[in-house]
Amino acid sequence: MTPPRRAGGPAPTDRLDSRFRAVAARGPARTAVTDAYGPLTYGELAEQAAIVTRALRDRVAPGQPVALRAGRSRHALAALLGILGAGASYLPIDPGYPEQRRRHLLEDSGTQLVVTDGALAPDETPLAELGPLRLAARPPVPGSAVLPPDTAYIIYTSGSTGVPKGCVVGHAQVLALLDAAVPLFGSGADDVWSLFHSWSFDFSVWEIWGALLYGGRAVVVDQETATDPDAFAALLAAERVTVLDQVPSAFGNLVTEATASGLRLPALRHVVLGGEALVPDDIRRWWAAGVAPGAAVTNMYGITETTVHVTHCRLTPEILREAGPGRTPIGRPLGHLDVQLRDETGRPVPPGERGELWVGGAGVSHGYLGRPELTAERFPQDPEGGGRRYRSGDWAVADAEGFLHYVGRMDGQVKLRGFRIELGEVEAALRALPGVLGAACLVDDAGRTPALAAFVVADRDTLPPARVRELLAGRLPVHMLPQALHYLDRLPVTPHGKLDRTALVAARTGGRDPGAARVSIP
């Protein structure tokens, strides 16, 4: 097996795995992680990671991607640490993804090795048994992209053309985030972090390393518990979690459970929200119920391409009152980043005027895997000087003091339940279904939390909602499946022939009827 070619230059000496080993050496008997199987010490976790490292060491080049296809458990953390310890990078592949998407991620990345806690695919050859984990080889992919040797992970995000794209992030970029952000929370060895999110969602990067690089304890939340607010609330209380990371929609479910049950979390010090726009009423309900009187609530706007978090905003009743509809307070940039608001020509806009967020600094990632044209477009050299920046595609407004409010997307990309979703990718999947003559998607924000609504030009009897759901589930991950389906005789268009999304909103609510009939997807 021939490893893919790598970009030149040595791998870094200051790495996530080396910092972890230093923490483990200082306190090997401290509890590092707790999951459904019980506690595991730093020393034990380091030993399990070393088993994976030894199996990989002679099989990988610096930065080479190794797929991590594992559920939420201590075993996944050991695998992740072991992959990095061998000098490789990890490509998280959620076992719950449809087979077609899992295969695309492996083939697009040129990944030749897989570490998994589950069954192997038919084209995978077992190489080693690593306790509860298995190492397997995949057929080589010709023409694999060149990766920097300091690559730590590749996380795929939704693509507007229907093809997901991999974002390449280095060790230095993650360490810059942690060095800038963790001190803001005063987090250390006494903290207990919840690991709530899928490894395929970059919020998990913050959770994993925020706990393990500072001597804290990570509580892995399994999939079943994560989707059950009652069980999740009980876990938070039993484990005395001090740092809770949540997407606002999941937080809203927790608030509902907490207010109904009288839950109290006296140990909780911080609630960190990110991944989508705030629901201010949920935060007010949280405060009013007195669930965690000692816990600060912080909103952190972030982007995968600039390494998880970009800004931070400690929320107060006053900040929420001043935000106003359609304006999410995101505060100020973290210390390792520089954020500017630019117009369509790339020129800075004055305070109070809407502009696109351009992000520069130590957290800007290497770009997209094997997509040089897209990387050049989205990561241009700053025309005002200062190196590369990432053009976020997000609109924001800054006041005279530089305090930022997020006000929406420039394109068809949305964030729901913490995941970035290109509406074009969902629409492409819908149009590919037999019997669909046209398709469009939008975010339905009429309820307490936003939801994805789909509109199709199709015959309901021939292609009923259950069948649509079944077919889409074979193409898209769960977080990209529409929550509601509307059948249309035709897609409404503007006088210029473009899709009339305003008319779609009216069709959704019944105010205008171009042949619409709302059908909830189970």
Side-chain angles (χ1 to χ4, degrees):
M1 181 176 65
T2 303
R5 295 175 298 118
R6 303 297 113 197
T13 55
D14 189 14
R15 299 166 49 91
L16 294 163
D17 52 292
S18 62
R19 285 203 190 182
F20 167 77
R21 288 192 295 272
V23 172
R26 289 195 297 268
R30 292 185 61 87
T31 300
V33 58
T34 305
D35 65 2
Y37 300 96
L40 196 69
T41 68
Y42 272 89
E44 292 168 336
L45 182 57
E47 289 175 5
Q48 292 189 10
I51 294 172
V52 178
T53 294
R54 286 192 293 270
L56 286 171
R57 184 160 283 147
D58 296 330
R59 293 185 167 106
V60 294
Q64 177 181 342
V66 175
L68 173 62
R69 192 173 65 225
R72 303 183 195 181
S73 73
R74 64 176 70 183
H75 308 311
L77 286 180
L80 187 155
L81 284 161
I83 291 169
L84 295 181
S89 60
Y90 72 95
L91 168 67
I93 299 180
D94 195 313
Y97 279 177
E99 190 275 335
Q100 180 177 331
R101 193 178 186 89
R102 296 198 307 267
R103 186 173 62 251
H104 170 77
L105 268 55
L106 290 166
E107 293 176 351
D108 184 72
S109 63
T111 298
Q112 296 183 37
L113 294 168
V114 178
V115 177
T116 182
D117 61 1
L120 300 184
D123 61 347
E124 294 172 352
T125 304
L127 297 176
E129 296 291 331
L130 311 173
L133 301 166
R134 304 173 78 185
L135 173 64
R138 290 183 45 76
V141 177
S144 298
V146 175
L147 288 178
D150 75 323
T151 302
Y153 63 83
I154 303 166
I155 283 182
Y156 274 74
T157 65
S158 181
S160 58
T161 62
V163 180
K165 54 189 183 293
C167 184
V168 180
V169 181
H171 286 264
Q173 292 142 11
V174 182
L175 293 174
L177 163 72
L178 297 169
D179 290 343
V182 171
L184 296 174
F185 299 90
S187 188
D190 294 331
D191 277 307
V192 180
W193 291 62
S194 60
L195 267 61
F196 181 85
H197 299 95
S198 164
W199 316 127
S200 297
F201 178 23
D202 70 340
F203 214 160
S204 69
V205 173
W206 165 252
E207 294 177 303
I208 294 167
W209 305 111
L212 297 183
L213 295 196
Y214 296 84
R217 178 164 65 92
V219 176
V220 180
V221 184
D222 60 63
Q223 180 66 34
E224 184 177 353
T225 302
T227 56
D228 182 342
D230 181 47
F232 181 49
L235 179 69
L236 295 175
E239 297 290 349
R240 296 186 61 80
V241 167
T242 63
V243 182
L244 169 63
D245 301 286
Q246 290 277 271
V247 172
S249 54
F251 180 68
N253 294 333
L254 176 62
V255 173
T256 299
E257 171 61 30
T259 53
S261 66
L263 174 71
R264 294 294 179 269
L265 300 172
L268 193 60
R269 299 196 310 114
H270 289 286
V271 176
V272 180
L273 301 175
E276 64 185 7
L278 295 176
V279 181
D281 285 346
D282 287 341
I283 299 166
R284 295 186 182 103
R285 288 195 299 142
W286 172 266
W287 286 334
V291 179
V297 181
T298 300
N299 187 37
M300 299 190 79
Y301 163 83
I303 316 167
T304 302
E305 287 84 346
T306 55
T307 316
V308 191
H309 297 313
V310 173
T311 69
H312 64 102
C313 176
R314 186 72 59 87
L315 297 175
T316 65
E318 292 74 25
I319 285 176
L320 291 185
R321 277 198 302 270
E322 294 170 1
R327 290 167 57 97
T328 296
I330 60 175
R332 303 182 187 282
L334 294 168
H336 68 305
L337 297 173
D338 173 49
V339 173
Q340 296 182 5
L341 301 185
R342 306 284 183 87
D343 63 18
E344 290 88 343
T345 67
R347 296 175 180 172
V349 301
E353 185 174 320
R354 186 181 70 171
E356 181 185 6
L357 281 152
W358 287 45
V359 183
V364 177
S365 72
H366 293 303
Y368 299 119
L369 178 65
R371 306 281 291 276
E373 295 84 4
L374 183 60
T375 297
E377 175 189 339
R378 299 302 297 273
F379 293 82
Q381 289 292 324
D382 187 349
E384 302 293 324
R388 292 168 66 247
R389 287 184 178 270
Y390 176 67
R391 296 189 60 168
S392 68
D394 289 330
W395 290 120
V397 173
D399 64 19
E401 285 72 43
F403 188 94
L404 294 162
H405 284 85
Y406 170 84
V407 295
R409 285 291 301 172
M410 299 173 65
D411 53 23
Q413 187 183 97
V414 299
K415 272 194 175 182
L416 288 174
R417 300 175 299 283
F419 291 92
R420 278 170 44 185
I421 300 172
E422 291 279 1
L423 296 181
E425 183 172 358
V426 183
E427 290 168 349
L430 285 164
R431 285 193 294 268
L433 301 184
V436 173
L437 302 177
C441 293
L442 54 76
V443 174
D444 185 343
D445 54 6
R448 186 183 62 82
T449 57
L452 184 62
F455 301 78
V456 294
V457 179
D459 180 65
R460 234 179 326 181
D461 295 330
T462 305
L463 191 66
R467 181 59 176 160
V468 172
R469 176 82 175 192
E470 178 187 356
L471 292 172
L472 285 182
R475 299 168 179 263
L476 300 173
V478 172
H479 67 267
M480 295 181 70
L481 298 179
Q483 285 83 59
L485 181 65
H486 304 258
Y487 287 82
L488 307 178
D489 292 333
R490 64 190 181 280
L491 291 177
V493 296
T494 68
H496 298 289
K498 296 182 179 181
L499 178 67
D500 190 342
R501 294 191 182 272
T502 301
L504 288 180
V505 174
R508 177 201 66 200
T509 59
R512 175 176 170 183
D513 185 16
R518 185 181 191 281
V519 181
S520 294
I521 299 180

